[in-house]
Amino acid sequence: MTDQDIRPDKRPLTPLAGPYGHPFHAIAVTIPIGAWLGSFIFDIIGFVAEDPAPYAVGSRVLIAIGLVGSIAAIVLGILDYLRIPDRTRASSTATIHMGLNFTVCGAYLFQFFLRTTTDEIPVAGFVFSVVSLLVLSASGWLGGKLAYRYGVRVADEAKQAEGFRLDERARARRGD
């Protein structure tokens, strides 16, 4: 199989998107996901703590970290999105995935500003956090579908098979 035979959605649009078979989008999303999950945990602790102020500040900082990290994830995701052929199931799934992620980012931006006026954990902010994490989970499921079912930016099966070929020493041990 030549490089020309590989589906366009498997090849990076630019080296900034990561090398063939190893997209950077997948690692970049861990920053906002982790930060926003941490913010949620700080909210819960802040509700039961005697002094919620440090947890409220920590939650606000984690939301900001997630927003900054989401910029990289969005840019890298768009680079991968642009390689998906139009009017395909993968394209439709990616469009929904992207829309959900933009919605989550907007919700966290709203939460950030909601939380700048208080050193308490706002109930509305917590509710937005719960809903945002649920939407983010649905979007993550769609992202997994793009990679693991449709193979977007995943190496083709012939390339994947290289990882399962026995090397010479293993063949000698087996008697092949």
Side-chain angles (χ1 to χ4, degrees), residues 80-99:
D80 290 346
Y81 177 79
L82 292 173
R83 297 298 293 176
I84 301 171
D86 291 337
R87 295 180 297 281
T88 61
R89 286 185 184 173
S91 173
S92 299
T93 301
T95 301
I96 295 167
H97 171 71
M98 183 171 43

Side-chain angles (χ1 to χ4, degrees), residues 158-166:
K159 188 72 169 171
Q160 291 175 14
E162 291 176 7
F164 295 94
R165 289 192 192 110
L166 295 175

Side-chain angles (χ1 to χ4, degrees), residues 58-70:
S59 183
R60 189 168 52 238
V61 168
L62 286 167
I63 288 171
I65 290 168
L67 286 168
V68 171
S70 71

Side-chain angles (χ1 to χ4, degrees), residues 9 13-14 16-18 23-29 69-84 94-95 97-98 101-102 146 152-153:
D9 61 293
L13 181 66
T14 170
L16 294 175
F24 292 155
H25 174 70
I27 193 67
V29 301
S70 71
I71 294 168
I74 287 168
V75 169
L76 294 168
I78 289 172
L79 292 175
D80 290 346
Y81 177 79
L82 292 173
R83 297 298 293 176
I84 301 171
T95 301
H97 171 71
M98 183 171 43
N101 287 332
F102 281 137
L146 287 165
V152 173
R153 289 285 282 121

Side-chain angles (χ1 to χ4, degrees), residues 98-112:
M98 183 171 43
L100 291 175
N101 287 332
F102 281 137
T103 301
V104 169
C105 288
Y108 274 105
L109 186 61
F110 172 76
Q111 286 185 62
F112 179 77

